[in-house]
Amino acid sequence: MDKMFANVFRSPGKFGIEEVDRPHPGVGEAVIRVTMTTICGTDLHIVRGEYPVKPGLVIGHEPVGVIEEIGPGLSGYQVGDRVLIGAITPCGQCRACLSGHLSQCGHTAGYEAIGGWRFGNTINGAQAQYLRVPYAQANLARIPDELTDEQVVLLADIASTGISGAESGEIKIGDSVVVFALGPIGLCATVGARLEGASLIIGIDSDENRLAMASRLGADVVLDYRYLDVIAEVKRLTGGGADVAIEALGTQQTFENCLRCLRPGGILSSLGVYSGKLQLPYDALAAGIGDYRIVTTLCPGGKERMRRLMEMVKHGRIDLTPLLTHVFPLGRIQEAYNVFGERLDGVIKVAIKP
Ligand SMILES: NC(=O)c1ccc[n+]([C@@H]2O[C@H](COP(=O)([O-])OP(=O)(O)OC[C@H]3O[C@@H](n4cnc5c(N)ncnc54)[C@H](O)[C@@H]3O)[C@@H](O)[C@H]2O)c1
Ligand SMILES: [Zn+2]
Ligand SMILES: [Zn+2]
């Protein structure tokens, strides 16, 4: 069996580069040679043991690469094509997919919660030299020649997710929007809010670097929650409460703050991954009769989503390259995890080059 190098999860706190079998495609599959990938906040949850995956799994779910091998039954692609693949790889054929809920893909049957997230979760992922892509016909998005790997790598997950927070929040032209937490996801939600036509975007975090980046990407006001009552300030700035609040951290506190910042009838669009119990205080919800709407979204995937996002880059509507602050070769991925995980050196996202 031919071999490759990949980042393998062994147990909480134990992971690193190993030599493993190189994948080959089955029916409807393709194998790509990965040319760039990155590390997601969710990978941090995995290596810390906060999100369980099976030992021996190659992790990572944000692949850019070149088609190396094409399995039987795949048409319209050639070896050598440059492709971007979403973090979420829907089958495109199940009830969920055909009803438009691609991220909750039911694996050829009905629905399965989070079922569309396969890479680095239920099958081997992208922090590797080669990656086997399931349901390749629905998931390989050809990269326009004029776009570099750096310009598209963040579209696979954080941009698709962050922007979906604004879409699911149904932001209308003129809406006021508050974004709680300005990690990569919240920063992309800020970009999304601007694209959707928000008149006022308020970003909240404590990290100066990220507050500055939010301003650069479209936030009109940034607030450091350590130094002021952000709920009162959002209410003051919006004349009584924001139309839409986007949660981009996954804690009780930020979720609750989002609710308390909303005007009655406002929409809370939640992107964070929560653990434990999430509670809805009755007073923040106007006793349950304040006409609030709460929506949650898992990163949209599939090749059409990737094509649309790449068109946005190609035509200059979005540019996420300022978020790629560091580059590491695959062989130094543990160092990259440390820099990213400990938020050293002003890091926002790291590019990994196999
Ligand atoms: N819905 C999805 O499909 C999806 C996809 C990817 C990641 N996620 C989740 O999104 C969340 C954010 O991911 P990320 O990579 O941007 O996170 P991150 O850890 O890089 O950033 C979190 C930010 O939150 C800030 N913060 C901490 N406490 C805060 C508070 N009380 N108020 C405001 N800001 C605060 C930090 O300073 C930091 O900048 C995570 O839960 C992640 O698992 C969801
Ligand atoms: Zn992710
Ligand atoms: Zn499906």
Side-chain angles (χ1 to χ4, degrees):
M1 195 75 176
D2 37 1
K3 299 280 181 182
M4 67 167 183
F5 290 108
N7 184 29
V8 178
F9 171 82
R10 286 292 162 197
S11 59
K14 200 159 170 277
F15 64 96
I17 298 298
E18 294 184 20
E19 205 174 34
V20 300
D21 288 344
R22 188 176 137 181
H24 294 285
V27 174
E29 298 178 338
V31 164
I32 66 158
R33 177 171 56 80
V34 180
T35 53
M36 186 171 284
T37 184
T38 177
I39 303 173
C40 175
T42 307
D43 296 324
L44 297 176
H45 292 309
I46 291 173
V47 298
R48 290 170 182 159
E50 296 156 5
Y51 181 94
V53 299
K54 62 177 192 297
L57 188 78
V58 176
I59 56 178
H61 50 260
E62 299 163 276
V64 179
V66 174
I67 297 178
E68 181 80 13
E69 275 185 79
I70 290 177
L74 186 62
S75 62
Y77 294 96
Q78 290 184 336
V79 168
D81 285 350
R82 288 178 68 225
V83 288
L84 167 69
I85 303 137
I88 303 297
T89 47
C91 76
Q93 298 165 44
C94 69
R95 252 175 66 204
C97 285
L98 293 173
S99 304
H101 300 287
L102 279 71
S103 301
Q104 315 302 332
C105 171
H107 296 226
T108 68
Y111 281 79
E112 184 173 316
I114 327 177
W117 177 28
R118 295 178 164 91
F119 287 141
N121 180 29
T122 56
I123 65 172
N124 280 340
Q127 289 164 10
Q129 289 180 294
Y130 296 91
L131 173 71
R132 186 170 60 88
V133 181
Y135 307 109
Q137 197 74 48
N139 287 294
L140 297 173
R142 221 177 265 103
I143 302 172
D145 288 341
E146 56 268 56
L147 298 185
T148 63
D149 289 2
E150 285 81 358
Q151 283 176 293
V152 301
V153 66
L154 299 183
L155 304 178
D157 184 357
I158 67 152
S160 186
T161 302
I163 291 171
S164 79
E167 295 169 289
S168 299
E170 294 178 24
I171 295 171
K172 293 173 195 60
I173 288 177
D175 273 352
S176 56
V177 178
V178 59
V179 182
F180 270 91
L182 301 170
I185 299 287
L187 289 168
C188 290
T190 303
V191 169
R194 187 171 175 183
L195 290 170
E196 293 277 313
S199 58
L200 172 66
I201 304 171
I202 305 167
I204 296 171
D205 205 289
S206 60
D207 182 318
E208 277 174 26
N209 224 350
R210 293 173 176 210
L211 291 167
M213 186 60 79
S215 301
R216 180 169 167 190
L217 295 177
D220 303 280
V221 180
V222 291
L223 305 176
D224 185 333
Y225 65 86
R226 292 171 305 174
Y227 302 126
L228 83 179
D229 177 348
V230 287
I231 297 166
E233 188 60 10
V234 171
K235 286 194 165 159
R236 191 185 70 76
L237 289 164
T238 55
D243 297 304
V244 178
I246 300 176
E247 201 288 340
L249 183 61
T251 66
Q252 175 71 35
Q253 192 197 15
T254 44
F255 182 86
E256 206 173 311
N257 281 350
C258 277
L259 258 186
R260 293 185 190 280
C261 280
L262 281 177
R263 63 160 168 80
I267 302 179
L268 193 174
S269 176
S270 173
L271 294 172
V273 175
Y274 301 89
S275 52
K277 202 183 249 179
L278 185 62
Q279 291 180 318
L280 279 173
Y282 82 96
D283 60 318
L285 203 63
I289 47 180
D291 290 346
Y292 293 104
R293 279 186 285 161
I294 298 173
V295 288
T296 68
T297 314
L298 171 61
C299 174
K303 69 180 179 187
E304 172 59 7
R305 175 69 169 180
M306 293 303 116
R307 186 195 68 80
R308 284 171 174 263
L309 292 174
M310 287 192 285
E311 286 295 301
M312 296 296 280
V313 175
K314 189 171 126 186
H315 297 292
R317 295 279 192 274
I318 56 177
D319 174 16
L320 301 170
T321 53
L323 300 184
L324 267 189
T325 51
H326 293 65
V327 188
F328 291 91
L330 182 65
R332 283 170 55 205
I333 200 162
Q334 272 170 320
E335 198 181 327
Y337 266 86
N338 186 47
V339 168
F340 181 65
E342 300 302 320
R343 280 195 232 139
L344 306 177
D345 194 27
V347 69
I348 296 182
K349 287 291 277 188
V350 297
I352 305 291
K353 287 187 172 177

